[in-house]
Amino acid sequence: MKRQRWIGTGVAVLLLAGALVGCGGTGAEGEAGDTSGAAGSNLPASPTSPTSDPPDAESQAGAAAYTPVTLDNYGREVTVTARPTQVLTLGPNATELFVALGLTDYVIGNSLDNHSRGALPEYEEAYARIPELTYGSATREAVVTSGADFIYGIDWEFGSEGLNVEELERLGMSVYMNSAATLEQMYGEIRDLGRIFAIEAEAEAFIADQDARLAAVQERVASSDPVDVLVYDSGGEGVFTAGGTNFESLLIGYAGGRNVFDDITDKQWTTVSYEEVLKRDPDVIVIHDYDAPSLAQKIADIKSHPALSELEAVRNERFVAISLESVLPGGRMAYAVETLAAGFHPDVSP
């Protein structure tokens, strides 16, 4: 992980045709889970290179009837004048959401698969059809030569150390940033994608399914005392963990837990000392699983650490592993909460 651009050692953009951009991002200290900047592109080298079959008469007619939409993307106005057909999804959470909404065929490239442990089983086949723009963070060269007209990406991919939104707009790419910190904001992003791609009914159906599953988990854990949770993304000089405004803290709460560092509200990701972790004495440790270090290595590091090994949670091996993309804002809200609740409250899980 890039962690001071992400995680201690080490860890998202949408191009919309002929439009504007919107951004919101709450600004993280870094990105979780980025261990590599490797970036080989499998996309065409030129925007003029074909990436998909030409639209049929029906889709052309639909494009002609498209009603432009203007959206508020966390304080930035984004206007889309035609349905995008060449989309980049920056981040596995962004890519899988497009698959879940039935938008796979619009995506010409994705990034940050180094943060992924693979798509959920129901999305594997469709996800595998999407070309990889870059394995790690999207590079400027790969994006500007992709031929994309719309980018949907996680916010840490933009800014002083990432892609320049203004430049992308000048090149004809509309950018919508994925920056949700609440369920309502994530549902808002899904509804916006529904408007942009004229799939409002599909978007609402997806949201309704998430809501129902989340409510079912909350009902199961309602009678259990919340457990204190440490998020362990990586180690090093301290523990790289999630702050209180991080989307993951929200998911932990829905699963019947409490982030022991929820009082840190000025950063979504931060490094805390081992001494402070000992003081807060978590009941459970949530460990992020991505390419490197491996999950097994992280557990071994925790068990052998002179301070962390003193925690009762470590002695009792109260570890809950979850893939990093599952706790990023996206389409895995219910899946993540179900997974976390099963680890926090195994006695009440189905």
Side-chain angles (χ1 to χ4, degrees), residues 43 87-90 95 106-111 130-134:
L43 291 183
V87 176
L88 296 181
T89 50
L90 307 188
T95 304
Y106 290 92
V107 184
I108 62 168
N110 70 344
S111 73
I130 297 174
E132 184 175 89
L133 178 75
T134 54

Side-chain angles (χ1 to χ4, degrees), residues 5 28 31 155-166 177:
R5 230 207 124 207
E31 311 148 16
D155 56 9
W156 71 56
E157 287 287 85
F158 307 90
S160 60
E161 295 184 35
L163 300 166
N164 185 306
V165 174
E166 289 72 22
M177 290 193 191

Side-chain angles (χ1 to χ4, degrees), residues 36-45 88 90 108-114 130-143 145-146:
S36 163
S41 173
N42 294 326
L43 291 183
L88 296 181
L90 307 188
I108 62 168
N110 70 344
S111 73
L112 290 171
D113 276 336
N114 60 332
I130 297 174
E132 184 175 89
L133 178 75
T134 54
Y135 178 64
S137 289
T139 64
R140 176 187 178 278
E141 180 181 8
V143 171
T145 62
S146 67

Side-chain angles (χ1 to χ4, degrees), residues 57-93:
E58 183 178 351
S59 62
Q60 288 177 329
Y66 187 83
T67 301
V69 295
T70 298
L71 307 164
D72 178 5
N73 181 215
Y74 303 102
R76 294 176 63 247
E77 185 178 275
V78 179
T79 298
V80 183
T81 58
R83 181 185 289 109
T85 60
Q86 306 286 293
V87 176
L88 296 181
T89 50
L90 307 188
N93 56 320

Side-chain angles (χ1 to χ4, degrees), residues 22 80 134 158 197 206 252 263 277 296 306 320:
V80 183
T134 54
F158 307 90
F197 290 92
F206 185 83
I252 289 170
D263 57 321
V277 171
V320 178

